[in-house]
């Protein structure tokens, strides 16, 4: 992290409502920011209209508000920032980091092997020149190991070439890839520390190489444990995790804090008391590293 004031963020995707897992992430990133006297920004990652649920963005904001979160500045919507992503892609093309690709999923599946996050792109279009164009654009994966120093999970190492392959920046369907947008936004918003769910650790080396290719700073990283159900699956829309309700804020916040290793005393009976206690006692040293069972 650089020497300027701490700036963190919470960046939900409005593909569903807040559930116990995303609430934990919000609580952890908020408390880390406040405990360090920093700012906490809110960014709506609504770059994937086919997966977006109507009304979810507003519902997430209402829930956060009902739970007593106080964010700094205006909420940023990725859907209004296409121009920034386009400029970044142009820079990456000009510097030789990005190349066009016309391979279909089917073609890739024929020859590719599976890596850490789907198929490892076999590199078919690597020599394609920018002026030839393509529906998708990929970043050349950096050779060698990319290491992320995570404050909670410890050092995390990935060989991008072997484990991930050249990855997509602009998708063939015309939508921006999360890996590009998140880097552009964190840099543009001056975010110098990222606290989020451990399911995104696998993405972090990709984001670090995009940062290096764009010449922007790498923020600090801290990946919080994910909540899992009895079957060991991450709570998510796909695993039908129920939304957290505004009416249950006190109980749900208490539970979220407990899952993050901070069990509030019985006397804390209101949201204000819970937050006050949590801000005074927050310490990453108490947060469990591994998946937490949401039983
Ligand atoms: N929008 C992403 C999600 O909800 C989080 C992105 C991030 O925190 O970097 O999974
Ligand atoms: Zn290709």
């Amino acid at each position: 992290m650089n020497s300027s004031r701490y700036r963190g963020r919470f960046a939900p995707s409005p593909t569903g409502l807040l559930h116990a897992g995303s609430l934990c992430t919000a609580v952890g990133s908020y408390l880390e920011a406040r405990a360090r006297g920093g700012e906490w920004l809110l960014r709506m990652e609504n770059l994937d209209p086919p997966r977006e649920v109507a009304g979810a963005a507003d519902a997430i904001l209402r829930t956060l508000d009902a739970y007593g979160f106080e964010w700094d500045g205006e909420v940023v919507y990725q859907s209004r920032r296409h121009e920034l992503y386009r400029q970044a892609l142009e820079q990456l093309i000009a510097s030789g980091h990005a190349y066009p690709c016309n391979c279909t999923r089917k073609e890739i599946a024929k020859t590719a092997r599976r890596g850490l996050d789907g198929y490892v792109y076999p590199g078919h279009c690597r020599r394609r020149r920018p002026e030839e164009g393509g529906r998708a654009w990929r970043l050349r994966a950096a050779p060698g190991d990319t290491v992320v120093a995570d404050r909670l999970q410890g050092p995390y190492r990935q060989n991008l070439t072997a484990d991930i392959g050249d990855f997509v920046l602009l998708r063939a369907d015309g939508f921006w890839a999360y890996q590009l947008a998140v880097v552009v936004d964190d840099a543009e918003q001056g975010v110098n520390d990222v606290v989020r769910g451990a399911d995104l650790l696998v993405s972090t080396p990709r984001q670090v190489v995009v940062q290096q290719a764009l010449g922007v700073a790498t923020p600090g990283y801290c990946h919080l444990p994910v909540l899992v159900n009895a079957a060991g699956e991450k709570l998510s829309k796909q695993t039908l995790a129920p939304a957290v309700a505004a009416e249950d804020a006190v109980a749900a916040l208490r539970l979220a804090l407990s899952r993050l290793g901070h069990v509030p005393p019985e006397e804390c009976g209101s949201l204000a008391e819970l937050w006050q206690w949590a801000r005074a006692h927050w310490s990453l040293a108490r947060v469990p590293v591994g998946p937490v069972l949401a039983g």
Side-chain angles (χ1 to χ4, degrees):
M1 206 181 84
N2 62 31
S3 57
S4 55
R5 186 176 176 197
Y6 183 102
R7 188 176 281 173
R9 48 60 160 190
F10 177 54
S13 303
T15 51
L17 305 176
L18 276 195
H19 52 73
S22 36
L23 178 65
C24 265
T25 302
V27 168
S29 74
Y30 184 59
L31 287 172
E32 184 69 2
R34 292 303 185 228
R36 292 169 67 160
E39 295 175 312
W40 189 69
L41 312 183
L42 212 50
R43 182 171 72 232
M44 210 42 84
E45 302 214 315
N46 58 345
L47 270 186
D48 198 346
R51 290 185 55 221
E52 191 165 339
V53 172
D58 284 344
I60 289 172
L61 296 182
R62 275 199 306 276
T63 305
L64 290 172
D65 188 52
Y67 276 65
F69 289 90
E70 291 170 354
W71 52 90
D72 293 292
E74 299 278 313
V75 178
V76 161
Y77 290 84
Q78 289 191 322
S79 56
R80 301 179 190 158
R81 294 161 72 85
H82 296 288
E83 194 42 43
L84 283 173
Y85 311 137
R86 175 157 304 287
Q87 283 167 13
L89 177 61
E90 276 165 16
Q91 184 186 332
L92 293 171
I93 295 169
S95 60
H97 287 98
Y99 65 84
C101 170
N102 269 334
C103 300
T104 63
R105 235 178 258 268
K106 249 200 198 136
E107 286 165 345
I108 293 172
K110 255 188 254 161
T111 56
R113 54 183 182 78
R114 290 202 176 268
L116 288 179
D117 191 15
Y119 288 115
V120 177
Y121 180 66
H124 181 254
C125 295
R126 272 207 138 188
R127 288 165 191 277
R128 211 177 160 86
R129 293 190 312 274
E131 33 318 342
E132 295 175 74
R135 284 164 40 246
W137 289 80
R138 290 180 185 273
L139 190 93
R140 285 177 213 284
D145 282 2
T146 301
V147 186
V148 177
D150 188 282
R151 288 207 299 293
L152 187 61
Q153 309 291 330
Y156 176 74
R157 183 180 292 272
Q158 228 177 49
N159 184 307
L160 275 171
T161 313
D163 299 337
I164 300 288
D166 297 346
F167 56 91
V168 168
L169 302 170
L170 177 62
R171 289 160 33 176
D173 59 11
F175 297 120
W176 296 103
Y178 157 67
Q179 309 293 357
L180 176 70
V182 72
V183 166
V184 169
D185 286 335
D186 284 338
E188 194 277 334
Q189 296 185 274
V191 169
N192 50 22
D193 198 51
V194 171
V195 178
R196 60 186 177 190
D199 53 312
L200 292 167
L201 193 54
V202 72
S203 285
T204 311
R206 271 169 279 183
Q207 294 167 20
V208 169
V209 300
V210 174
Q211 287 151 2
Q212 291 167 348
L214 285 172
V216 300
T218 290
Y221 284 104
C222 172
H223 287 85
L224 299 171
V226 287
L227 292 196
V228 295
N229 62 21
E233 302 160 326
K234 178 190 141 190
L235 296 203
S236 69
K237 205 181 116 186
Q238 286 72 36
T239 55
L240 306 176
V244 293
E247 311 81 69
D248 298 335
V250 171
L253 180 57
R254 174 178 283 281
L255 199 53
L257 286 165
S258 307
R259 285 165 172 161
L260 291 168
H262 293 67
V263 183
E266 287 301 325
E267 308 85 81
C268 292
S270 68
L271 278 180
E273 284 165 349
L274 280 173
W275 280 124
Q276 197 184 15
W277 178 87
R279 283 164 82 141
H281 292 86
W282 176 254
S283 164
L284 270 188
R286 296 189 186 191
V287 177
V289 172
V292 171
L293 185 64

